[in-house]
Amino acid sequence: MSRAGKVLHVDLTERKIEKEPTSSYVKKWFGGDAIGSAIVCNEVSPQAKAYDPENILTFNMGPLCGTSRGGSKSTVITRSPLLVHNMLLTSGMGGQFPSETKFAGYDNIIIKGRADGPVYLLINDDRVEIKDAAHLWGLDTYKTQSAIKAETKDPDTQVACIGPAGENQVAYGLIYHDINATAGRQGAGGVMGSKNLKAVAVRGTKGLKVADPQKYLERWNQYFAATFPEPLTPDHWSRTSMVDAADLETPIDIFMWGGDASNLVCPPIPEEKTLAAFTRKYAVGNSGCAFCPEQCYVRINVPGVGAGAALCAMPGEWQTRFKTYDPDLWWRCAILANKLGLDCSSTCNIISWTMKLYEEGVITAKDSDGIPMEWGSREAVLAMIEKIARKEGFGAVLADGILPASRKIGKSARRYARQVKGVEYLNYWMWAGGSLGMIVGPGGTGTQIDPSGVENAGNIIESILELHPPFPGMTKEQVHQTVDGLRSAKSAHMSGDSDAWKLFEEDGQTMRTTGKALLDIAYENQTKLADLAGVCDQSSNAGPRFLTALRDFWQEIADFLTADLGVEYTPDMLKEVVNRARLQERGYDYLCGLRREDETMPEDFFKPMKTRQFGTRVFLTRELQEKMKNEYYELRGCDPVAGVPRREVLEKLGLNDLADKLSNLDFTAGTAVEGDGASGGPISSSVGEQRS
């Protein structure tokens, strides 16, 4: 039915194409990214590196992808060049590419090996070809898509491609599709470049069949009526008021000024430089993934710069990170990074880091190719984006990620390198639950939806409601009480503890850790369920909603799958496969080298932070972090000391081989990458020199 029916295997080294039934994997792994991660975990040696031909790159579409409930969501799974130990990379990508792949007849695309020269994969229903891409090598992501569409003489061909950054194997290169869909963070584009694979182009005309269309439509009508629009947040999550969110995030203890974790007090935004003023001038509408009613991106077209689409977080990061409010600069940066195939978050964060190093005298303009890395310098930012993508000069130092760069620069560079498991830290302050989700979740910072949405990000909702009261005459205090009530209701629905979202215990001073692990696992499980089923995780209870997040997401997806596939699914069946997939990934990461000490927030987060709302104080200690980790490990089915999945849990899930492999590891001594874990470490190979 709505499974397309085939898994497509492509061996670029042997130039061999094979197909096998998806049904071979369904019983144990169900679908979506669980199939892709199972193939990577079982076929790629833990000793392999991300850029080795042995590494496998997978595009994974769940059974609901390509239907009205699923929209068009895929997950890319491979080994990451950016994460410590080259752990598993998990990155979502939307647009129309995922659904088009389903329409062509494929649930998963599995790519291994390395071509002997630039190629692209062309899929047209049953016809699959490996085509020469020498003429495409060096083109940006926009021109690559246009060229392939012209070559196929079909504008409906959907293209996922890399830019120069991926070709040059930049560790945070991304895979780009259309004008707003990416497999970003963690370096999927670099892996694609290491295989000499410029693009995957798909045209599908087969469509999909639903087993029980009437039942499916009835369930869809119920879902739509309960979800759109979100009450009490007018238009916010369709992002037409993205401008309110981005402008409001700066004064409410969300963004760090210059990436300095000690200071969450950003200066006021001048009216003429607000995103509201910018979008009034340049916004041209909304866009999003195929078949999704949310259309959650704002489309922007700035003459002379370019057109694209953005979410609310992007302008904040590209500005506050550089200690500037310059709406023209953030859009130039975003367009340039997207065209070159660079992940925006990692790129802006690593450039901000170099500005801090320049300020502290760790590097000079001589180190950065004669470019003074001064705060807010548009010349420095734009030049460094180009240099990173092309691995030129100082850009080559930064291209492998913040940890390798800190080793090359030496001196005190590591001290300022804020990262989680090797991935550059987002420019947000996370409360305890968000911090826990970031350090123990799959991948590193910014790779999953975590409880920050119901914790400090709830302040954004409160600020929006103050501007747009849901009921006439509501006071600020009434808005505050309403939002806190919504937070408590969502927290209780997700974890069973209505107070789990809170920052403090009842005394208003003691940091709250109770319930954080339960809340985090609930978010993690629902995100994984979305990836398995092929729906957007933003539409789960883990998404940024409140009233509409009180529905039973597990039963909802079970109902959709039953109508879609003609086989009865229950929440308990889905919970088992989610747990199996999550523990397989965590166990494999341990085989690759992950250890407990790798899972930690940056050192600055254990120091006093300056906020408007709570003054200056310590919000997280290492002791509290470790306490939350112990609770998470226990609840997740892992050893509470080592954090590794327990044998009896793995065997119950049918993962006996993984249990045997893990039993051969020694967990008595930590193996965090030197300088990457909680204790830090010596750095060598200095290229910087003190400024006088």
Side-chain angles (χ1 to χ4, degrees):
M1 291 299 161
S2 283
R3 295 190 197 278
K6 297 186 186 72
V7 175
L8 176 64
H9 293 267
V10 179
D11 187 330
L12 294 174
T13 302
E14 302 296 330
R15 299 183 75 90
K16 185 166 63 175
I17 295 166
E18 296 179 331
K19 304 169 187 179
E20 68 172 324
T22 309
S23 56
S24 326
Y25 299 94
V26 166
K27 183 176 181 181
K28 188 170 185 178
W29 299 111
F30 178 71
D33 76 340
I35 293 177
S37 65
I39 290 172
V40 173
C41 293
N42 290 321
E43 296 186 20
V44 180
S45 165
Q47 286 70 48
K49 302 302 181 185
Y51 292 151
D52 289 350
E54 179 187 349
N55 190 16
I56 294 175
L57 174 68
T58 69
F59 295 83
N60 309 283
M61 286 62 63
L64 293 178
C65 173
T67 71
S68 56
R69 177 60 185 93
S72 188
K73 165 69 186 296
S74 65
T75 305
V76 174
I77 303 276
T78 186
R79 294 281 295 277
S80 168
L82 188 60
L83 285 164
V84 293
H85 316 298
N86 292 146
M87 297 187 302
L88 280 176
L89 171 162
T90 302
S91 187
M93 186 176 76
Q96 191 166 330
F97 177 89
S99 55
E100 198 76 16
T101 304
K102 290 284 293 288
F103 299 158
Y106 308 101
D107 295 302
N108 306 79
I109 302 175
I110 313 299
I111 303 169
K112 68 178 181 179
R114 176 184 295 147
D116 56 9
V119 299
Y120 75 95
L121 185 65
L122 179 60
I123 302 168
N124 192 326
D125 290 338
D126 294 331
R127 185 176 181 179
V128 182
E129 302 173 83
I130 299 172
K131 302 198 49 101
D132 179 74
H135 60 298
L136 302 174
W137 209 253
L139 295 184
D140 69 34
T141 57
Y142 283 36
K143 291 179 180 177
T144 298
Q145 294 181 79
S146 296
I148 291 176
K149 288 173 184 282
E151 205 168 286
T152 61
K153 297 181 174 60
D154 189 343
D156 290 327
T157 299
Q158 303 301 316
V159 182
C161 65
I162 59 174
E167 295 171 1
N168 293 318
Q169 298 172 38
V170 174
Y172 38 98
L174 54 71
I175 300 173
Y176 197 81
H177 164 56
D178 199 24
I179 62 168
N180 60 289
T182 68
R185 314 250 54 199
Q186 307 175 52
V191 173
M192 201 159 156
S194 75
K195 297 184 176 300
N196 283 325
L197 181 63
K198 179 63 175 177
V200 179
V202 184
R203 183 70 174 103
T205 63
K206 295 183 177 183
L208 296 169
K209 292 183 179 180
V210 172
D212 190 337
Q214 183 175 350
K215 184 176 180 180
Y216 187 100
L217 185 59
E218 289 173 358
R219 193 64 183 87
W220 164 254
N221 288 334
Q222 294 170 8
Y223 163 74
F224 188 87
T227 309
F228 300 98
E230 160 80 348
L232 303 183
T233 52
D235 287 333
H236 175 58
W237 298 117
S238 67
R239 301 312 201 283
T240 55
S241 70
M242 174 188 87
V243 294
D244 289 334
D247 287 339
L248 289 168
E249 282 169 349
T250 51
I252 56 173
D253 302 335
I254 295 290
F255 282 125
M256 305 168 202
W257 189 242
D260 184 355
S262 68
N263 184 15
L264 297 168
V265 180
C266 297
I269 308 174
E271 174 60 32
E272 69 277 9
K273 293 188 176 182
T274 61
L275 188 61
F278 180 79
T279 52
R280 278 196 298 270
K281 190 173 182 180
Y282 298 118
V284 294
N286 285 70
S287 68
C289 302
F291 320 121
C292 178
E294 192 150 357
Q295 299 299 288
C296 62
Y297 286 79
V298 173
R299 297 184 66 183
I300 297 170
N301 186 7
V302 179
V305 179
L311 288 171
C312 57
M314 189 185 292
E317 280 211 281
W318 279 116
Q319 295 186 91
T320 58
R321 263 298 191 186
F322 303 139
K323 294 189 178 181
T324 185
Y325 294 126
D326 186 343
D328 177 74
L329 175 62
W330 84 259
W331 187 243
R332 287 179 184 274
C333 290
I335 288 292
L336 181 59
N338 284 338
K339 286 184 175 181
L340 293 172
L342 285 167
D343 176 73
C344 283
S345 292
S346 281
T347 304
C348 76
N349 288 321
I350 203 167
I351 292 175
S352 169
W353 172 65
T354 67
M355 291 177 171
K356 180 65 174 177
L357 297 183
Y358 183 82
E359 179 183 53
E360 296 295 330
V362 180
I363 64 171
T364 70
K366 180 181 177 182
D367 297 310
S368 51
D369 304 330
I371 302 170
M373 298 305 296
E374 296 172 337
W375 290 114
S377 169
R378 65 164 46 212
E379 294 78 11
V381 174
L382 293 170
M384 208 50 62
I385 292 173
E386 289 272 7
K387 285 178 172 289
I388 291 171
R390 304 188 189 285
K391 278 194 172 179
E392 295 175 349
F394 191 58
V397 175
L398 306 178
D400 290 333
I402 201 166
L403 286 175
S406 69
R407 297 189 193 98
K408 294 173 185 176
I409 293 171
K411 298 192 176 179
S412 57
R414 174 64 181 86
R415 172 185 170 189
Y416 304 104
R418 296 181 185 91
Q419 50 79 37
V420 175
K421 291 189 282 195
V423 180
E424 294 76 17
Y425 187 81
L426 293 167
N427 200 31
Y428 311 133
W429 174 40
M430 293 288 186
W431 287 8
S435 298
L436 178 65
M438 190 171 284
I439 62 177
V440 299
T445 167
T447 62
Q448 68 170 67
I449 297 178
D450 55 51
S452 60
V454 74
E455 293 181 323
N456 52 327
N459 294 344
I460 303 171
I461 305 300
E462 186 170 330
S463 297
I464 290 174
L465 293 185
E466 289 176 2
L467 288 178
H468 308 286
F471 305 108
M474 282 188 77
T475 66
K476 286 189 175 182
E477 180 58 30
Q478 289 172 326
V479 168
H480 175 74
Q481 292 174 356
T482 298
V483 173
D484 276 6
L486 292 172
R487 284 164 149 170
S488 294
K490 180 171 181 176
S491 182
H493 183 69
M494 294 289 284
S495 70
D497 183 350
S498 62
D499 293 331
W501 69 272
K502 293 182 178 179
L503 181 60
F504 300 111
E505 298 287 4
E506 290 300 320
D507 61 11
Q509 293 296 320
T510 306
M511 301 307 299
R512 182 180 179 87
T513 60
T514 306
K516 299 297 185 184
L518 269 174
L519 190 60
D520 185 75
I521 288 174
Y523 270 72
E524 193 176 284
N525 285 348
Q526 291 209 10
T527 302
K528 175 57 70 176
L529 174 60
D531 291 343
L532 295 177
V535 306
C536 179
D537 44 28
Q538 296 277 339
S539 70
S540 72
N541 292 342
R545 300 176 181 276
F546 284 89
L547 284 184
T548 58
L550 303 183
R551 67 193 198 278
D552 188 340
F553 182 65
W554 293 93
Q555 187 63 58
E556 174 189 303
I557 295 301
D559 290 346
F560 271 112
L561 289 169
T562 298
D564 183 34
L565 301 173
V567 177
E568 184 174 357
Y569 283 93
T570 66
D572 285 344
M573 293 166 66
L574 297 176
K575 288 175 183 177
E576 179 178 341
V577 74
V578 162
N579 202 32
R580 180 181 296 118
R582 179 68 190 101
L583 286 181
Q584 176 188 241
E585 291 168 358
R586 185 168 180 84
Y588 182 75
D589 282 342
Y590 264 74
L591 293 177
C592 293
L594 174 68
R595 296 296 181 268
R596 178 186 178 122
E597 53 267 35
D598 290 313
E599 299 188 311
T600 181
M601 289 294 283
E603 190 66 32
D604 286 2
F605 282 74
F606 305 118
K607 298 177 180 178
M609 292 182 173
K610 180 182 178 182
T611 70
R612 282 185 173 86
Q613 191 174 0
F614 307 109
T616 301
R617 58 165 296 165
V618 172
F619 291 94
L620 182 67
T621 65
R622 193 170 296 283
E623 179 183 7
L624 290 177
Q625 173 185 272
E626 298 307 307
K627 179 181 177 183
M628 289 191 295
K629 283 164 61 177
N630 290 345
E631 184 180 357
Y632 170 87
Y633 294 152
E634 184 71 35
L635 292 171
R636 186 79 272 182
C638 300
D639 180 272
V641 177
V644 65
R646 297 200 305 268
R647 170 179 280 277
E648 63 270 24
V649 176
L650 294 175
E651 290 179 342
K652 186 176 180 181
L653 293 168
L655 299 175
N656 299 55
D657 288 347
L658 178 60
D660 290 341
K661 292 174 183 177
L662 289 170
S663 68
N664 294 323
L665 299 181
D666 179 11
F667 297 107
T668 59
T671 59
V673 173
E674 184 182 41
D676 298 355
S679 61
I683 308 294
S684 60
S685 302
S686 173
V687 302
E689 60 185 47
Q690 287 292 117
R691 279 191 296 134
S692 58

